[in-house]
Amino acid sequence: MVQLGTLLAVLFPVSSAFVFPSAPVLSSSLCSRTRSSGALSMQYGALQDKPLKVIIAGGGIGGLVLANALQRHGITYDLYEKTKEYRPFGGPIQVQSNALAALEAINKDMTQRIMDAGTTTGNRVNGLKDGMTNKWYCQFDTGAPAQKRGLPLTRVVDRPDLQNILLDYIDQSRLHTGVEVSEYSQMADGSVEVVLTNGEKVQGDVLVGADGIWSNIRGQMHKESPGKESATYSGYTCFTGVCMARPADVKEVAYKVYLAAGKYFVCSDVGKGRMQWYAMLGQPAGEKVPDGVQGAHLVKEYQGWSREVLELLEITKEEDINQRDLYDRPPLLVKGWAKGPVAVLGDAAHPMMPNLGQGGCQAVEDGYRLAQELSKITDRGDVAWALRMYEQQRLVRSSAVHGLARIASDVLFQSKLLFTNPVIGKFVGLMMTISMPLILEFLYQNVLDESDWGSARGRLSNMAAYEDQSNTYKSVREAQAALAAKETVAV
Ligand SMILES: Cc1cc2nc3c(=O)[nH]c(=O)nc-3n(C[C@H](O)[C@H](O)[C@H](O)COP(=O)(O)OP(=O)(O)OC[C@H]3O[C@@H](n4cnc5c(N)ncnc54)[C@H](O)[C@@H]3O)c2cc1C
């Protein structure tokens, strides 16, 4: 019954966050935070004399979005990225409607390019299937809640494309690659100084740690080890692969999650005739399958599974398969995301399981929100207050998403019963059918400031022209009906 209890718990955080999307934050430290223009601002100065300068540690999705968002408001930044060169790395990533809304508010042209580079999945069926019988547990409509609000439909975009487009729009003279931020100190006047690995020291008004799950900045802020000992292993290792394939249902179905005890398998259409898959195996951390035999290992692991799964594994080239263990860290509900002039963002603040495809999307929301809050202040003495406002608006929301992704992973890991007892399987399908629309409603609202919702509302009247769907279905309902007809014929 542990499993049932956990499943029911899925509904609780969603509904509470749904009903109280901007509810007061749980952290007691947050409750006592107030604006502090006073003695400090007298020493430190108003922004009209000298614009605010933000130091960004890390140029992944979160850091690059933040740079673009600061630029929108004329806030100066310097971005330090430890890798020397941006190289094509990583497979496609889901950029969901909430993230696209925030990106669009930051820069419309940039977002149009991201959308053009992607493959729309929000107008097709997504859902969960039994890995063995291939029968659907439940299907989701991710399009309707987005369309209702005038938000762009979810896309899958290749990471290098997304990265290059984000890079194209930032001030190149402010990008410093091959430089790591190793530590920081808060100065007496309220500013912050960072030490770079090349020995240089740089001062700014704000430091943002966008340096990923193994964040140095978070480590120093909370006296936490940035290493694996302070992270939580999910119980799963994840193999990813991309292959050339067009499944029979690709016109109607975008992503499918195949479930069975101890492992699961996710696949998605990622455009250009390709399918991406994730094979999640429950096993202890650190058990690396040698390169060159990973495909064969997976084919063996998934023996007896649906042919839809095995076909993808069989045709994927060895060199297109990667393995990594999945970790997250508990949400910083009590410790918080900001201290003085320093804040964390993206995976540095909330590394989460990939089950909802929201880690990067939440990093995008962070970047949007942080820049919004900094743009509202007129005095350096209010920097810490702006960072608290950022934290207050983002922490509960992202923690709810983080919690849901973790619960989804834990349920799958623990619940043998789910897959051996058909009644429980049906119950879970029903719960997911009920809870998923609530989760999506929650995700797609309260993303933007009121002033930025204008373009989304404008688009509502022109959705057909905006989303070119000449090639495919206008809604998930249409896709669902076509899929049902196709599956009936196949039977
Ligand atoms: C299997 C899998 C699938 C996923 N699928 C999705 C999906 O479909 N949709 C989605 O939204 N999310 C997805 N995610 C999550 C997503 O990849 C991350 O949440 C996202 O990349 C986080 O971005 P970030 O910028 O915060 O961190 P990162 O991408 O980790 O970037 C951090 C950057 O900081 C640099 N850096 C580190 N330390 C320093 C330092 N000290 N100084 C300077 N630079 C530094 C690093 O080199 C790196 O470039 C997935 C994750 C996994 C594991």
Side-chain angles (χ1 to χ4, degrees):
M1 284 296 102
V2 173
Q3 294 87 346
L4 278 183
T6 320
L7 274 170
L8 287 170
V10 171
L11 291 174
F12 174 69
V14 178
S15 48
S16 54
F18 178 58
V19 177
F20 306 112
S22 358
V25 183
L26 306 177
S27 156
S28 58
S29 50
L30 288 187
C31 299
S32 60
R33 287 162 192 164
T34 51
R35 195 170 189 145
S36 62
S37 314
L40 196 55
S41 63
M42 299 278 288
Q43 304 165 21
Y44 196 26
L47 297 178
Q48 63 266 32
D49 305 332
K50 195 174 150 221
L52 207 60
K53 184 183 153 194
V54 179
I55 298 170
I56 308 172
I61 296 172
L64 291 174
V65 169
L66 175 65
N68 276 288
L70 292 171
Q71 205 161 272
R72 173 192 187 202
H73 296 292
I75 300 174
T76 332
Y77 59 87
D78 274 296
L79 192 160
Y80 298 94
E81 163 54 48
K82 78 171 174 187
T83 49
K84 271 210 170 68
E85 247 178 84
Y86 276 98
R87 291 208 190 97
F89 173 78
I93 179 170
Q94 258 198 95
V95 186
Q96 297 191 40
S97 303
N98 54 319
L100 286 168
L103 287 167
E104 192 174 47
I106 292 168
N107 186 326
K108 227 172 174 171
D109 284 351
M110 178 181 82
T111 310
Q112 190 60 57
R113 277 186 60 197
I114 293 171
M115 294 200 295
D116 291 347
T119 301
T120 309
T121 54
N123 56 355
R124 283 180 274 170
V125 173
N126 302 301
L128 309 182
K129 281 184 144 185
D130 184 312
M132 303 290 175
T133 65
N134 206 34
K135 288 212 171 98
W136 289 96
Y137 280 122
C138 53
Q139 297 178 351
F140 313 132
D141 182 347
T142 62
Q147 281 172 318
K148 183 165 98 183
R149 293 189 171 78
L151 304 186
L153 292 172
T154 292
R155 259 71 173 178
V156 182
V157 186
D158 285 15
R159 271 182 202 258
D161 291 345
L162 176 61
Q163 190 174 278
N164 287 338
I165 296 168
L166 293 172
L167 273 167
D168 275 355
Y169 286 82
I170 67 168
D171 180 348
Q172 300 302 310
S173 69
R174 296 287 171 190
L175 174 66
H176 314 276
T177 51
V179 194
E180 194 170 337
V181 176
S182 48
E183 56 178 329
Y184 68 85
S185 328
Q186 189 171 340
M187 309 309 277
D189 65 357
S191 66
V192 59
E193 182 178 87
V194 299
V195 181
L196 307 176
T197 38
N198 60 12
E200 222 183 298
K201 288 183 177 173
V202 182
Q203 278 201 13
D205 301 299
V206 183
L207 166 65
V208 181
D211 46 350
I213 180 169
W214 314 115
S215 167
N216 267 352
I217 309 300
R218 171 179 171 146
Q220 187 177 341
M221 184 188 278
H222 292 311
K223 299 185 178 52
E224 228 178 40
S225 151
K228 287 191 175 147
E229 54 283 5
S230 62
T232 319
Y233 178 54
S234 63
Y236 282 103
T237 196
C238 170
F239 295 84
T240 60
V242 177
C243 58
M244 298 303 294
R246 300 314 285 155
D249 59 3
V250 73
K251 200 165 170 240
E252 292 78 27
V253 182
Y255 78 72
K256 289 174 274 193
V257 183
Y258 300 84
L259 308 173
K263 57 189 92 151
Y264 58 104
F265 186 91
V266 184
C267 67
S268 173
D269 175 26
V270 291
K272 302 177 193 151
R274 300 164 309 160
M275 291 292 288
Q276 179 187 33
W277 52 260
Y278 297 99
M280 314 280 192
L281 300 184
Q283 63 178 46
E287 289 187 0
K288 171 101 173 85
V289 177
D291 292 340
V293 296
Q294 293 181 339
H297 176 78
L298 291 172
V299 169
K300 212 163 139 203
E301 282 284 345
Y302 285 87
Q303 270 317 306
W305 281 55
S306 160
R307 278 305 301 160
E308 291 179 5
V309 170
L310 283 161
E311 270 164 22
L312 294 178
L313 291 175
E314 284 161 4
I315 62 172
T316 307
K317 293 184 191 142
E318 263 305 324
E319 60 268 29
D320 295 329
I321 304 178
N322 288 301
Q323 182 191 359
R324 70 194 280 186
D325 289 345
L326 294 180
Y327 287 85
D328 69 0
R329 290 174 186 273
L332 289 168
L333 276 169
V334 175
K335 291 181 178 171
W337 291 3
K339 244 186 196 174
V342 184
V344 285
L345 161 158
D347 274 12
H350 46 66
M352 58 182 76
M353 288 296 116
N355 298 56
L356 292 180
Q358 273 287 333
C361 298
Q362 291 300 305
V364 171
E365 284 194 28
D366 295 343
Y368 167 81
R369 175 55 49 204
L370 183 44
Q372 288 297 107
E373 295 311 320
L374 286 174
S375 75
K376 290 175 192 162
I377 61 171
T378 53
D379 193 290
R380 286 187 160 67
D382 289 334
V383 159
W385 178 83
L387 298 185
R388 294 294 183 215
M389 288 298 106
Y390 150 71
E391 173 191 76
Q392 191 152 2
Q393 296 202 46
R394 292 290 307 130
L395 200 139
V396 168
R397 181 173 161 85
S398 79
S399 299
V401 180
H402 182 290
L404 285 165
R406 183 31 109 152
I407 287 168
S409 172
D410 286 353
V411 166
L412 292 175
F413 187 66
Q414 290 173 11
S415 58
K416 280 209 165 65
L417 214 54
L418 185 88
F419 306 107
T420 47
N421 185 323
V423 178
I424 293 185
K426 279 212 170 105
F427 174 74
V428 172
L430 179 68
M431 287 312 241
M432 288 301 295
T433 309
I434 296 168
S435 65
M436 202 58 191
L438 286 175
I439 294 173
L440 292 167
E441 285 290 336
F442 164 63
L443 284 174
Y444 296 171
Q445 68 175 326
N446 293 304
V447 181
L448 305 179
D449 276 349
E450 182 54 30
S451 53
D452 282 329
W453 277 111
S455 52
R457 286 203 200 96
R459 193 180 326 109
L460 268 178
S461 55
N462 193 21
M463 183 59 86
Y466 182 75
E467 293 282 358
D468 177 14
Q469 295 170 5
S470 45
N471 223 348
T472 172
Y473 298 101
K474 290 199 169 35
S475 70
V476 174
R477 276 174 184 251
E478 260 187 34
Q480 221 163 4
L483 178 67
K486 220 172 191 177
E487 288 184 339
T488 313
V489 173
V491 169

